[in-house]
Amino acid sequence: MSLPSAQLIAYLSHVDRPHHDAVLALAKRAILLPKLIRPLAATILAYLLLAYVAALGTKAWPLAAAVGAVTLLVV
């Protein structure tokens, strides 16, 4: 059984445990990880393609950063 993130947060908010607030905060932060990993992976892949395949060298960093920023906005 898989739960959507919002439903999991709702279930965790009803738990009455001593460290319930800390667990809830960790769960909310964990939801953001996929949104940050995709742009980071796109940036790294774009840098590798531009720097080594297209032989742009140090000029590849700004272009790869732009690809990562666009991915962050789109995803």
Side-chain angles (χ1 to χ4, degrees), residues 1-46:
M1 176 175 118
S2 66
L3 297 173
S5 302
Q7 192 174 5
L8 180 61
I9 296 291
Y11 284 145
L12 284 174
S13 65
H14 296 328
V15 175
D16 188 24
R17 302 274 182 201
H19 302 290
H20 138 269
D21 291 333
V23 171
L24 188 60
L26 284 173
K28 286 181 180 177
R29 276 190 241 150
I31 290 172
L32 296 176
L33 282 177
K35 294 179 182 177
L36 297 176
I37 290 174
R38 288 182 191 126
L40 181 62
T43 302
I44 292 169
L45 184 61

Side-chain angles (χ1 to χ4, degrees), residues 32-39 42 67-75:
L32 296 176
L33 282 177
K35 294 179 182 177
L36 297 176
I37 290 174
R38 288 182 191 126
V67 169
V70 168
T71 306
L72 182 64
L73 293 175
V74 172
V75 176

